[in-house]
Amino acid sequence: MMRLLALLVMMLATTTSVPARAADWKMDAAASRLEFTATFERTAAPGAFRQFDTRLRFEAERPAEGSLEVTVAVNSADMNSADVNKAIGGAEWFDSARFPQAVFQSSDIRRLDANRYLARGKLSLKGVQQQIEVPFTWTQNSEAARMEGELVVKRGAFGIGTGEWAATNVIGPDVKIRIDVRLRRGS
């Protein structure tokens, strides 16, 4: 009986001393969206990034153990106009030839309340790095999850819109980013 008790104590000690790891989530690219809205003469000018990837390690009950990385191909920006798409890839805007990717990295994820979280991290865009906060909601059922959020980025802080476009009277200073990422457990 003593041996059985000692064995049970050892098993419990072994299983409780190994910290649980946050789950890895893989983005479902076909079902996910990364949209943006700028303003042109105070009118909404919507667009979307057609190519991006989200890598997430996350458990809703232990967000501090998580990490988030989003990589965006900036030349995939689509504003439903071939001329506009070509222009925004140029040096005055995204300069996608020199800076083909924007990357957000965070290892500081916190719970705000029930299913709302905040990822604090660094956005690297057009050769500039800035700390930003990405608020998001998290819904999960079984092996699938959805991450949704909105944030505002100041385009001037990243040199988006230089030269004649630096003024904010025609193209507004704020760009609203909307994320809707569908994920599945996996590696």
Side-chain angles (χ1 to χ4, degrees):
M1 182 66 164
M2 283 301 268
R3 278 190 180 172
L4 181 59
L5 187 56
L7 182 61
L8 284 173
V9 168
M10 283 180 33
M11 286 175 56
L12 282 173
T14 303
T15 59
T16 57
S17 66
V18 177
R21 243 184 54 176
D24 287 322
W25 294 90
K26 181 177 172 86
M27 184 178 90
D28 177 349
S32 297
R33 304 282 178 261
L34 180 58
E35 300 169 335
F36 61 90
T37 304
T39 55
F40 175 73
E41 295 180 343
R42 301 182 202 265
T43 301
F49 290 101
R50 302 294 180 201
Q51 296 175 8
F52 70 100
D53 186 38
T54 302
R55 295 173 190 222
L56 179 66
R57 176 167 283 163
F58 184 76
E59 285 294 335
E61 297 306 316
R62 297 185 312 277
E65 297 172 16
S67 63
L68 171 64
E69 181 174 317
V70 180
T71 304
V72 181
V74 295
N75 67 350
S76 74
D78 183 1
M79 296 187 77
N80 293 318
S81 164
D83 290 339
V84 172
N85 292 349
K86 183 177 179 184
I88 63 176
E92 290 180 319
W93 295 97
F94 286 117
D95 198 358
S96 60
R98 287 186 23 192
F99 305 101
Q101 294 183 327
V103 178
F104 173 73
Q105 294 178 309
S106 172
S107 56
D108 180 3
I109 302 175
R110 305 164 187 215
R111 179 183 291 234
L112 299 176
D113 59 41
N115 71 333
R116 291 180 345 117
Y117 298 85
L118 181 70
R120 293 180 178 171
K122 192 176 291 185
L123 175 61
S124 300
L125 173 61
K126 199 177 175 184
V128 176
Q129 293 185 349
Q130 296 277 329
Q131 290 292 124
I132 66 168
E133 295 183 343
V134 178
F136 66 94
T137 59
W138 179 261
T139 51
Q140 178 182 342
N141 55 22
S142 185
E143 298 297 304
R146 185 176 189 181
M147 176 184 208
E148 294 180 277
E150 266 188 22
L151 65 142
V152 172
V153 174
K154 300 284 188 190
R155 68 178 179 89
F158 294 95
I160 306 297
T162 60
E164 69 178 292
W165 302 109
T168 58
N169 57 335
V170 176
I171 306 292
D174 298 336
V175 178
K176 184 186 292 184
I177 309 292
R178 179 164 166 22
I179 59 172
D180 185 354
V181 179
R182 309 298 176 101
L183 304 126
R184 296 213 171 274
R185 277 192 196 268
S187 52

